[in-house]
Amino acid sequence: MDPTSVVRQPAVDDASFPAIWNWLQTEAAARTSQFASEWNAARADIESLLHSQAAAFERTAPPAPEETSLTSLSNLMSDAANGLLFEPVHAFRKARPNERALAALENYQAGIEDLVRRLPQTIAVQGQELLETLQPVTPSRLRRYLLGRRRPTLQLAIRAIVEREFLLDEKARVGTDGEFLLALAKGSLLLLAPWQAIRDEAIRSPHRPGGGDQALGESRTRWQERLSRLESDANEASRSIAEWCNGVSGRLAQALLSGETRLSTRQRRRWLRYRQTCFRHWSRQQRAVKAVLDLEFEMANVAIDLTAACEQGLNSLDTEQAGLLEELDNATRWLQEAQTREPDRSFPPPQADLVSAEDRLSTWERAAEASALEHLVPTVETVEPRHALPSWRSPWRTLEPRRAFLSALVRFGRETVRAGFHEAEADHRAVVREIERAREVVTFSLESAVKEAGQGAQIAREGIANALALVSYRKQAATDPHALVQRNLAEATAGVVAFTHLALDQGRLGLLTQLAQQSGSRLLREAWRLGLGRTSETGRWVRNLVRTRYHQLLQQAGWEAPPIGTVAPVVSQAYLGEILSLQQGARDLPMIYRRLFRLAPVQEPRFLIGREPEMAALAQARSLWQSRRSVSVLLVGARGSGKTSLLNCASAAEFSDATIVRGQFRDRITNAAQMRAFLHQLFGLSPDDDLRANLSSHPRVVMLEEMERTFLRRMNGFEGLRELLAIISATGRSTLWILSLNQHSFRYLDAAVNLSRHFTHRINAMAVPPQDLKNAILLRHYLSGLRLEYPPLPESDPRVSRVRRLIGLQQSAEELFFDSLYRQSEGVFRSAFELWQHYMERVEGGVLYMREPKEPNYENMVAQLTLDGALTLQALLQHGSLTEQDHSEIFECPIEESRIELERLVGLECLESEPSSPGLRIRPEAGRFVHMALHRLNLI
């Protein structure tokens, strides 16, 4: 197709240069005018919204200086929010200035590209004709001479020239485009500032210095300054765009006269890529700005819902209060009638159906969470517009509005609401108690009147009079908790809204920008309140610290005598029971809780938490064994770590269809004959039967526990163990051996007889992460049906707490509790279950309250432990349990010395009798103390 044939205009009958130039001028001017008109309209829309907002801001009265109430919050959301937030945002959504401006720019670029494509590649034109057509634009003298004197026809590459000019023009204008779009973005966010100022003043703390008039006046002044700067920037950008529009035709004519077409493909592609980057930046900016407006809009809806939830809770409380007072009046009338005549009916039955504070709090929280789920998105990308063009520093900030609101709900709203509801509940329960007491008094007095014939009437009259005095006093002393609960609900709502906005603003703006946007006088007041107000306290702390360090330095230099320490009047030996009783006491637990936390091996696989790798290893071992390979498994772990539970669940799951022989070493085995006798008895064989032949006759799974009783740490004390290992090695293809022992025995035997070489798999039952231990406890607690309340966080310096929250190191009460529980239990399930039950404080109202898990102080007991005692404890860990004879053989000492040493440890309450075997073992409660003491002596 001929390139010139694409030009089709009704006013042009040929493809001559003058006709094409007139068409090009007309089309370029039309597109440029439309583009400028769209941008001016977008700017006019923003300016109109801002001017309307300024008038509304001036009309809005400052909030009252009294304390925040539900009424003031409701008025804030119904009056101020409508005029300063909802209506402007609705108008902004309808006008869509940012989207229209960006769309106009994209349409202009697309129109210019279409215009260039419709131009012919080249056109024949005489030089003189070119000069005359493009007047009054004139080229240089040399170029004019060449064009005027040249007789042949000039082949002008019009499409390449025009395309190059438009690309260069667009490249020169990109900064102006960015500044204009940046001004629109800033103006869009400036719409929110009046509402934010009114909102912050309405939900401010009543104890914060400074009145509403002064603070609101500062906010208006600051907003007007920002508006003036924004209008100045927008005027400058509009002026630059107008100048550019007026010069489009002249620049095109100058480009055609120069005939310059040089624009490399690399340069063109580089600019087009950068232009696409700019468009992505501007498009992302307008979406992020819209997200900020939508977030403020939805947060206001959440605040409205939260205020409505507070009013519903307050109305429910008022209804309950009215019912209680009615019941109190009924009791009073009955008692008054009973004073004058015998009543025709019994004492009014109880009617009160009290709702607990926790239930009211749960209802309030559920309403707030439902509103957050409805209005707040999980994540949203926002921006604080600062750059006209893309920069190396990303301005986008991803916020989590729903999480921020729920966090503020828990941290700043829950306790305040709970306190108010608890106070109301206490008042209502006091009324119920007095009515019940009056009923008991009346019942007792009437029963006594029947028994006492002579003085019965007098007793009845006195009893009824006393009961009437009780209810009358309660009626006079009854307080209406409406005002208290309303104040707490209002403070909680204001606090949740304020801290949510604070977190969102800090996440979007950054801490420094957020502080910079606040007024200077307010910053000074806050600094005085938070910083300088603590000068006296800080001075006392510094003075005491300097004084203490000064005296310590003098004592170290020998220039001052050290202080004389006081001598304790009585020094007594520490007992493990006394140390543990400081933190561990008997608790009256519900029967279901005793069943769930019974200290026994797990039988049901659903309670086996976090053992998936161990069960998978057992399944793999069986699969290899079934393929006729020699397989044996060693299960290593501390007492109470779940070895038996793991074997129980494996028997019911992985080995449910296999022949299983289970046993346990109870007596100490030290030679080969004892080991063979034990195995013959285990498999039901006579002494004459060939043990190895029987084991090789058919496949079976053998599970043996307490392997630490198969040796004695002395000369020739490992023969029984060696015999067992030899049998395992010889029968591993037909018999899958699974043996368990504690980790201390394993370390010792691995060094003594290279135990691990005889087993293909070793499973470490001590590899319990903190989360699995926590899940195991919470699963059992969940089945109890009780709610859970952790101890409150310990009080600390507010400044330290703020720093921890700032850097993300502040832990919750649940995290602190389970961290301490994991440290104290050393990851052992049995110890963790015991500690969990010891730290239960009470069960009340369907709620389990936990105590703070303070760690016992074992220092006095560690100091009383001798080296011989420590070595005995080490031997007990290695052997599981020891008799006096075993101790005597291990340490090569008389039995009497062994008895004395063991009795000394029993006296310290570190040992107890082994329930299933002869000898003594370490008490489970003393496990942590023993590990601590032996670790200090480098014995473990």
Side-chain angles (χ1 to χ4, degrees):
M1 180 184 294
D2 186 2
T4 61
S5 64
V6 299
V7 182
R8 291 288 183 267
Q9 295 294 329
V12 180
D13 297 331
D14 60 343
S16 64
F17 177 75
I20 292 176
W21 169 246
N22 290 332
W23 173 83
L24 178 62
Q25 274 188 309
T26 303
E27 290 295 324
R31 285 167 171 78
T32 302
S33 176
Q34 183 180 3
F35 166 65
S37 175
E38 288 289 337
W39 274 32
N40 289 331
R43 177 194 170 187
D45 289 339
I46 285 289
E47 289 181 347
S48 175
L49 289 174
L50 289 174
H51 290 158
S52 299
Q53 193 77 324
F57 198 10
E58 289 294 333
R59 292 193 305 267
T60 304
E66 64 267 9
E67 295 182 359
T68 303
S69 65
L70 285 179
T71 303
S72 64
L73 291 176
S74 180
N75 294 336
L76 171 71
M77 295 304 167
S78 61
D79 298 335
N82 283 332
L84 294 178
L85 179 63
F86 295 139
E87 293 177 1
V89 171
H90 280 305
F92 177 84
R93 290 173 177 175
K94 183 178 180 180
R96 300 184 300 111
N98 293 331
E99 299 176 28
R100 287 170 49 201
L102 189 59
L105 180 59
E106 291 177 335
N107 293 335
Y108 173 75
Q109 298 294 349
I112 292 300
E113 292 174 358
D114 179 68
L115 184 64
V116 171
R117 283 193 299 268
R118 296 174 65 183
L119 289 173
Q121 294 283 356
T122 60
I123 189 171
V125 59
Q126 296 292 331
Q128 190 62 36
E129 183 184 14
L130 181 66
L131 291 174
E132 293 175 355
T133 303
L134 298 179
Q135 286 182 355
V137 179
T138 58
S140 63
R141 291 183 179 182
L142 178 61
R143 183 64 175 169
R144 186 168 61 251
Y145 172 78
L146 294 176
L147 292 175
R149 295 293 185 182
R150 198 166 184 175
R151 297 285 184 245
T153 301
L154 175 67
Q155 294 296 326
L156 186 66
I158 186 171
R159 181 185 293 184
I161 295 173
V162 173
E163 180 182 17
R164 177 180 180 272
E165 176 58 29
F166 276 125
L167 287 177
L168 295 178
D169 199 30
E170 181 183 353
K171 187 176 181 181
R173 201 193 68 246
V174 66
T176 303
D177 293 345
E179 292 293 342
F180 185 85
L181 293 173
L182 179 63
L184 291 182
K186 289 182 177 180
S188 302
L189 293 184
L190 197 58
L191 286 171
L192 299 176
W195 157 249
Q196 291 170 344
I198 295 294
R199 180 202 67 204
D200 292 342
E201 289 302 323
I203 62 176
R204 72 188 187 279
S205 171
H207 304 291
R208 193 177 70 186
D213 291 319
Q214 179 183 357
L216 197 59
E218 295 173 355
S219 299
R220 287 195 180 103
T221 302
R222 191 166 59 255
W223 188 76
Q224 288 292 346
E225 292 174 354
R226 294 175 60 187
L227 179 59
S228 299
R229 290 195 300 269
L230 180 64
E231 289 180 339
S232 176
D233 295 340
N235 289 333
E236 183 64 28
S238 298
R239 189 163 43 252
S240 299
I241 293 173
E243 293 176 356
W244 165 80
C245 291
N246 295 331
V248 170
S249 179
R251 289 191 296 272
L252 283 175
Q254 191 66 45
L256 291 173
L257 287 175
S258 65
E260 181 65 42
T261 61
R262 287 181 299 174
L263 185 65
S264 67
T265 304
R266 181 180 179 183
Q267 291 175 330
R268 184 177 183 275
R269 289 178 178 175
R270 182 184 301 174
W271 162 245
L272 291 178
R273 284 196 301 269
Y274 182 71
R275 186 181 71 177
Q276 189 64 27
T277 302
C278 292
F279 269 100
R280 284 197 299 269
H281 172 81
W282 296 329
S283 178
R284 193 174 180 182
Q285 177 178 265
Q286 68 91 7
R287 289 196 303 270
V289 167
K290 182 178 180 297
V292 175
L293 271 74
D294 293 342
L295 179 59
E296 190 73 39
F297 189 92
E298 297 302 334
M299 271 302 303
N301 287 324
V302 170
I304 292 174
D305 293 344
L306 193 59
T307 305
C310 293
E311 292 175 347
Q312 291 177 1
L314 198 60
N315 293 336
S316 173
L317 188 68
D318 293 340
T319 302
E320 184 177 281
Q321 173 81 3
L324 284 174
L325 294 180
E326 182 181 359
E327 184 177 354
L328 194 62
D329 292 337
N330 292 336
T332 303
R333 284 194 296 269
W334 187 91
L335 290 170
Q336 290 173 347
E337 292 175 2
Q339 279 187 319
T340 59
R341 60 184 177 85
E342 183 177 354
D344 54 355
R345 55 189 177 89
S346 60
F347 196 90
Q351 300 175 357
D353 187 12
L354 299 185
V355 180
S356 67
E358 294 298 329
D359 289 340
R360 295 187 189 277
L361 175 63
S362 298
T363 302
W364 181 79
E365 284 186 315
R366 285 195 300 270
E369 291 170 358
S371 178
L373 292 175
E374 179 183 358
H375 295 288
L376 300 181
V377 294
T379 58
V380 62
E381 185 178 73
T382 62
V383 69
E384 176 63 14
R386 295 189 181 95
H387 305 289
L389 299 175
S391 63
W392 63 271
R393 185 176 180 180
S394 176
W396 323 110
R397 297 291 182 268
T398 300
L399 304 182
E400 298 178 349
R402 186 181 299 171
R403 181 179 178 182
F405 175 79
L406 296 178
S407 176
L409 190 72
V410 173
R411 296 171 60 189
F412 306 107
R414 175 184 292 173
E415 293 305 321
T416 304
V417 173
R418 176 186 279 119
F421 282 145
H422 270 298
E423 187 71 22
E425 182 183 10
D427 292 341
H428 289 182
R429 290 193 181 279
V431 174
V432 173
R433 282 196 304 269
E434 292 301 320
I435 296 176
E436 290 301 318
R437 184 181 178 188
R439 178 180 289 106
E440 293 175 0
V441 171
V442 170
T443 303
F444 173 77
S445 62
L446 294 180
E447 290 176 353
S448 300
V450 175
K451 296 177 181 179
E452 299 290 338
Q455 302 178 354
Q458 181 65 26
I459 293 176
R461 286 193 298 270
E462 290 180 355
I464 293 174
N466 293 338
L468 181 59
L470 283 176
V471 295
S472 298
Y473 175 78
R474 174 46 55 189
K475 181 65 179 296
Q476 296 175 359
T479 59
D480 187 1
H482 180 95
L484 173 65
V485 175
Q486 182 187 29
R487 183 172 64 252
N488 282 30
L489 288 173
E491 290 180 359
T493 303
V496 169
V497 173
F499 281 105
T500 302
H501 281 290
L502 184 66
L504 295 177
D505 291 343
Q506 184 174 334
R508 182 174 68 89
L509 303 175
L511 181 60
L512 296 180
T513 304
Q514 185 185 25
L515 293 176
Q517 288 190 1
Q518 296 181 5
S519 64
S521 59
R522 182 177 300 180
L523 282 177
L524 290 177
R525 291 196 300 268
E526 294 293 332
W528 174 265
R529 183 175 66 88
L530 296 176
L532 300 182
R534 298 179 181 268
T535 301
S536 59
E537 178 183 349
T538 305
R540 288 192 298 271
W541 178 81
V542 172
R543 183 176 65 252
N544 294 334
L545 178 64
V546 171
R547 180 184 300 170
T548 302
R549 294 293 184 266
Y550 171 72
H551 289 290
Q552 289 178 353
L553 181 62
L554 292 181
Q555 293 169 16
Q556 292 175 359
W559 295 343
E560 181 178 313
I564 300 176
T566 58
V567 179
V570 178
V571 178
S572 61
Q573 173 180 303
Y575 294 92
L576 181 66
E578 294 179 355
I579 294 175
L580 296 180
S581 65
L582 295 176
Q583 305 298 330
Q584 303 176 359
R587 293 289 180 265
D588 186 14
L589 303 179
M591 185 60 66
I592 187 174
Y593 227 86
R594 297 179 187 178
R595 171 64 179 82
L596 288 170
F597 285 89
R598 184 174 57 187
L599 301 178
V602 170
Q603 301 293 337
E604 300 181 37
R606 65 172 175 172
F607 290 116
L608 197 68
I609 303 299
R611 293 303 194 183
E612 291 80 8
E614 290 86 345
M615 295 295 288
L618 289 174
Q620 181 192 24
R622 184 187 180 181
S623 177
L624 294 173
W625 174 64
Q626 288 177 334
S627 64
R628 303 299 296 171
R629 295 184 182 181
S630 179
V631 179
S632 54
V633 181
L634 186 63
L635 188 58
V636 181
R639 184 185 298 272
S641 60
K643 301 190 299 296
T644 304
S645 300
L646 190 60
L647 294 178
N648 291 342
C649 296
S651 300
E654 302 298 337
F655 303 102
S656 59
D657 57 344
T659 302
I660 301 177
V661 179
R662 293 192 65 171
Q664 178 180 351
F665 294 103
R666 301 184 183 277
D667 298 324
R668 182 70 55 188
I669 296 177
T670 58
N671 56 58
Q674 293 174 347
M675 180 59 68
R676 286 193 295 270
F678 170 81
L679 293 177
H680 276 83
Q681 183 182 2
L682 177 67
F683 296 112
L685 304 177
S686 64
D688 297 331
D689 292 338
D690 189 341
L691 179 62
R692 299 192 181 187
N694 183 272
L695 290 174
S696 302
S697 61
H698 61 275
R700 74 191 82 187
V701 178
V702 179
M703 299 179 180
L704 295 177
E705 300 183 65
E706 304 292 342
M707 188 182 175
E708 50 267 24
R709 295 196 177 95
T710 60
F711 74 99
L712 195 62
R713 201 182 68 187
R714 61 169 173 79
M715 293 295 295
N716 300 321
F718 300 91
E719 298 305 320
L721 176 61
R722 288 194 174 94
E723 177 68 15
L724 176 62
L725 295 178
I727 294 173
I728 291 174
S729 299
T731 61
R733 291 182 179 274
S734 60
T735 303
L736 176 57
W737 294 87
I738 304 176
L739 283 79
S740 69
L741 79 167
N742 67 57
Q743 75 274 25
H744 301 286
S745 295
F746 170 74
R747 284 200 295 265
Y748 175 72
L749 294 176
D750 197 37
V753 299
N754 200 3
L755 182 64
S756 60
R757 182 174 61 89
H758 298 274
F759 293 88
T760 60
H761 294 71
R762 185 172 80 248
I763 298 176
N764 184 10
M766 288 291 292
V768 180
Q771 189 62 34
D772 288 342
L773 190 67
K774 175 182 176 181
N775 291 340
I777 292 176
L778 292 182
L779 172 63
R780 287 162 171 78
H781 172 79
Y782 173 79
L783 295 176
S784 71
L786 298 175
R787 297 193 301 274
L788 191 58
E789 186 72 21
Y790 295 100
L793 294 174
E795 295 184 1
S796 60
D797 192 330
R799 294 166 295 184
V800 177
S801 300
R802 284 195 296 269
V803 173
R804 287 178 177 175
R805 286 194 298 269
L806 183 62
I807 62 179
L809 296 180
Q810 186 74 14
Q811 289 183 297
S812 64
E814 180 180 0
E815 292 172 339
L816 289 175
F817 185 91
F818 278 102
D819 286 349
S820 178
L821 189 68
Y822 188 80
R823 288 194 305 271
Q824 295 185 47
S825 64
E826 298 181 325
V828 178
F829 282 108
R830 177 189 175 98
S831 300
F833 292 163
E834 288 180 338
L835 289 171
W836 176 263
Q837 296 179 71
H838 290 317
Y839 288 134
M840 295 177 186
E841 184 175 8
R842 69 185 187 278
V843 177
E844 181 179 322
V847 181
L848 173 61
Y849 294 90
M850 305 299 294
R851 292 187 293 111
E852 184 178 357
K854 295 181 179 179
E855 301 187 11
N857 185 4
Y858 295 109
E859 294 300 327
N860 291 337
M861 285 195 62
V862 172
Q864 294 173 13
L865 187 65
T866 63
L867 180 59
D868 291 340
L871 293 173
T872 300
L873 292 176
Q874 181 195 39
L876 282 163
L877 287 177
Q878 294 172 350
H879 293 80
S881 63
L882 290 176
T883 62
E884 297 172 359
Q885 182 65 35
D886 295 337
H887 184 276
S888 176
E889 294 182 18
I890 292 174
F891 292 99
E892 299 180 352
C893 63
I895 292 183
E896 186 63 27
E897 292 185 10
S898 297
R899 181 180 298 111
I900 293 173
E901 187 60 44
L902 292 175
E903 287 296 334
R904 183 181 295 112
L905 293 175
V906 171
L908 290 176
E909 300 180 348
C910 295
L911 305 184
E912 66 179 8
S913 298
E914 176 66 54
S916 60
S917 301
L920 299 171
R921 68 172 185 177
I922 296 175
R923 294 178 62 188
E925 295 84 354
R928 192 176 185 215
F929 158 69
V930 171
H931 291 163
M932 179 189 301
L934 297 185
H935 180 75
R936 292 189 180 183
L937 296 174
N938 294 324
L939 294 178
I940 58 174

